[in-house]
Amino acid sequence: MKKIICLMFIMFASIAAVHAEDGDGKAFLERFYQEGAECWFDNAFLKKHLTQKALKYLHDAFPYDDESGDGLAMWLFYQEGGWDLGELKEILVKNVADNTYRVTCHSAFNKDTYEYTVTFGLVRVGNAWKIDTMKPGKGDLIVSDPGIQDGSRWNIANLDYTAKVNADKTITFNAMAEGEELMFRLTPNYSKQDEYTLSDEPGADGFNPFSKSPRVKFIDKYDTKLLCLYDQKGQLQHVLDGKARLEGEKEALSKWDIQLYGYYTDRYGDTLQISSGVIYKKGVACATYEHIPFNGTVTGIMRISGATHLDGIWEAVITLDGLTLYQVAEDAYGVYQRQEGKEVLSWARDNFPRFNYTWTILLNDGQFRHLKKSTLRIMRNEILARHGYRFQSKDLQDYFSKRAWYKPAASNDEVEQPFEIEMLNLELIKAEEAKPDDERYVKEE
């Protein structure tokens, strides 16, 4: 215990000394460190360097040993329940007023971290400095592996942001998009667990793409790590995935692929299956396809080879009824422009939900934002329908009652809660529906 006390005050001195503006105050903290290291902060030493106010507080708050000074250790380490919280990891010091410092201690117990705040002041007594006005703050238990770690990768669409944990516990996120630096900062909201405030990175030239989403909630459960970004109205706008399987561009293309998978009927009445780079007809591979991204961004442009009437370069657009392929050609600037040709592939699986992928992938690639609001409404409610939700709206009743897979529950009280990923997708779709039409880019016709 004495060793822990020593370590703690060593860190007090070494860190607070940097912030002490008065040279004498800095010298005091340095001497406090040197002398304390030699005498293990015994009772006599503490009485020498603590004011009567601080000593009285310790005496009143905890049993104060005559010789060892263990009362100070109890005050600092037995906060919130009387547990010995183990090894002190770090201390952060912030100057909050003249000669007053707010000290945040991080102490580890097994694999968990216990974080609490201690506030103390430096006061001048004659020609010397002493530690005064010692006050404990609120303690919080933080679970092991506390989420947003230095160097961690966070994916959204084709971008991978890298997190940098700063000394003041703010977190800087950085990514590159088409040569432009993207940056933003998260500041912990200590009044709400696992919540942050999002802002521009101070003094940086990087662009903040999430300036309209100031509130951030961190989710770490069920083997997921997510940052959910909400706007001023409390609507979920973006989700960053801290456990994406692939790098940005590959992750975006993989998700786009999954959204295209399924069985479709072409204009000849033949059933085609799209799956992982291959188009099948009657179970036989009849064509292959590859996506053509732009700087890693999914554009919907794909090249199909091997099928007579689908050979060529197309822009694939997801619709409620299936998939529409618009023939495109590359112009002089390398941009693909729609031509007159168009192929409509109709969804051919009434016994399978149209947007079933909304329970398997997080829609943070943004492709759903290209759909009409009427399609988004079906997409959102399909999430509930898969769990047997009974609808009050007649149009939804009519639509889902015609689907062989839909099995409504006897009562909505019996409907199970959608999965975490489904709930997030539901929120994302709902927020998109709420946007004015002039703020949306709709590809579906």
Side-chain angles (χ1 to χ4, degrees):
M1 181 63 71
K2 292 179 182 178
K3 189 173 182 180
I4 293 175
I5 301 172
C6 179
L7 286 172
M8 189 199 136
F9 276 98
I10 287 173
M11 298 186 77
F12 267 3
S14 61
I15 298 174
V18 176
H19 295 271
E21 296 179 359
D22 191 298
D24 292 338
K26 178 179 179 180
F28 159 73
L29 289 170
E30 289 175 347
R31 285 198 310 274
F32 188 94
Y33 153 62
Q34 292 170 352
E35 295 176 26
E38 295 172 358
C39 69
W40 295 90
F41 298 99
D42 62 18
N43 189 45
F45 177 83
L46 294 176
K47 286 186 177 181
K48 176 183 176 182
H49 290 292
L50 298 179
T51 65
Q52 288 299 314
K53 185 188 299 183
L55 285 170
K56 184 177 187 305
Y57 176 84
L58 293 174
H59 184 274
D60 292 345
F62 297 97
Y64 190 66
D65 294 352
D66 291 337
E67 301 297 333
S68 68
D70 280 350
L72 179 59
M74 291 175 63
W75 173 61
L76 291 172
F77 291 94
Y78 286 17
Q79 280 297 117
E80 306 294 329
W83 293 358
D84 186 338
L85 297 170
E87 179 186 358
L88 184 69
K89 287 296 187 182
E90 63 177 331
I91 295 179
L92 300 175
V93 178
K94 180 179 181 182
N95 187 205
V96 294
D98 291 343
N99 296 331
T100 302
Y101 302 88
R102 178 170 293 114
V103 184
T104 303
C105 306
H106 299 275
S107 180
F109 180 69
N110 293 332
K111 292 184 178 180
D112 293 331
T113 299
Y114 189 80
E115 179 182 280
Y116 56 92
T117 301
V118 176
T119 301
F120 70 95
L122 284 179
V123 298
R124 188 181 288 279
V125 180
N127 293 325
W129 288 84
K130 283 195 174 186
I131 292 178
D132 187 41
T133 59
M134 306 175 74
K135 296 180 181 179
K138 179 183 178 182
D140 291 304
L141 183 65
I142 303 174
V143 297
S144 59
D145 186 21
I148 308 175
Q149 299 192 7
D150 192 63
S152 58
R153 180 173 65 91
W154 297 81
N155 167 264
I156 183 169
N158 65 310
L159 297 177
D160 288 324
Y161 282 85
T162 301
K164 179 182 182 298
V165 180
N166 304 310
D168 60 358
K169 292 303 177 183
T170 60
I171 308 168
T172 300
F173 288 78
N174 179 281
M176 295 296 293
E178 300 179 27
E180 181 180 18
E181 188 173 25
L182 306 179
M183 298 183 73
F184 63 92
R185 172 173 287 205
L186 295 187
T187 302
N189 182 346
Y190 291 109
S191 64
K192 294 183 179 180
Q193 187 175 3
D194 294 332
E195 287 209 6
Y196 297 82
T197 299
L198 188 150
S199 62
D200 295 344
E201 176 67 12
D205 296 330
F207 172 69
N208 175 11
F210 307 120
S211 58
K212 294 183 179 179
S213 304
R215 185 172 72 88
V216 178
K217 183 176 182 181
F218 173 60
I219 297 177
D220 183 5
K221 60 182 180 180
Y222 308 132
D223 198 37
T224 62
K225 286 184 184 295
L226 304 170
L227 288 174
C228 302
L229 280 55
Y230 296 85
D231 64 13
Q232 297 282 8
K233 297 180 180 180
Q235 293 182 319
L236 181 63
Q237 299 295 320
H238 309 280
V239 180
L240 277 68
D241 187 354
K243 285 201 169 182
R245 298 175 296 106
L246 306 170
E247 294 181 359
E249 179 177 344
K250 292 181 179 179
E251 182 76 11
L253 289 173
S254 174
K255 287 189 176 183
W256 176 237
D257 236 359
I258 291 171
Q259 292 170 69
L260 297 181
Y261 290 173
Y263 291 84
Y264 303 88
T265 303
D266 65 12
R267 57 182 160 120
Y268 297 108
D270 292 324
T271 298
L272 305 178
Q273 180 191 4
I274 298 179
S275 178
S276 191
V278 180
I279 299 177
Y280 299 89
K281 184 166 112 175
K282 296 181 179 179
V284 178
C286 63
T288 60
Y289 68 88
E290 60 177 331
H291 298 296
I292 305 176
F294 176 77
N295 286 339
T297 303
V298 172
T299 61
I301 306 300
M302 59 194 300
R303 178 182 287 107
I304 300 178
S305 306
T308 304
H309 70 292
L310 293 182
D311 274 356
I313 301 177
W314 308 84
E315 178 186 356
V317 177
I318 293 173
T319 69
L320 177 60
D321 300 321
L323 193 66
T324 301
L325 302 178
Y326 296 93
Q327 197 166 36
V328 295
E330 190 175 8
D331 63 18
Y333 301 98
V335 178
Y336 287 95
Q337 303 288 352
R338 288 184 182 179
Q339 307 298 301
E340 293 184 1
K342 182 172 75 171
E343 291 287 341
V344 176
L345 303 181
S346 302
W347 187 247
R349 297 189 70 180
D350 276 347
N351 63 339
F352 200 74
R354 174 67 187 93
F355 305 108
N356 194 59
Y357 53 78
T358 55
W359 80 272
T360 62
I361 62 171
L362 180 65
L363 298 179
N364 66 345
D365 65 337
Q367 296 305 315
F368 73 95
R369 293 192 164 107
H370 300 309
L371 304 182
K372 292 194 301 185
K373 288 186 177 181
S374 57
T375 302
L376 290 175
R377 184 165 182 262
I378 295 296
M379 188 184 202
R380 171 170 56 86
N381 283 285
E382 184 187 276
I383 295 174
L384 302 175
R386 289 199 300 264
H387 292 269
Y389 188 87
R390 301 183 72 91
F391 299 96
Q392 300 298 318
S393 300
K394 187 176 186 304
D395 64 324
L396 294 176
Q397 290 178 6
D398 291 343
Y399 178 84
F400 290 110
S401 64
K402 296 175 183 176
R403 302 305 180 264
W405 55 265
Y406 177 54
K407 307 295 181 185
S411 167
N412 284 338
D413 293 336
E414 300 177 8
V415 176
E416 294 183 358
Q417 175 95 352
F419 305 124
E420 183 79 36
I421 193 171
E422 291 178 307
M423 291 297 295
L424 291 173
N425 286 337
L426 193 151
E427 285 189 70
L428 287 168
I429 298 168
K430 188 175 182 180
E432 185 66 22
E433 290 179 82
K435 289 182 180 179
D437 290 337
D438 58 0
E439 293 183 12
R440 304 188 64 242
Y441 173 58
V442 180
K443 285 188 174 183
E444 182 185 1
E445 293 185 354

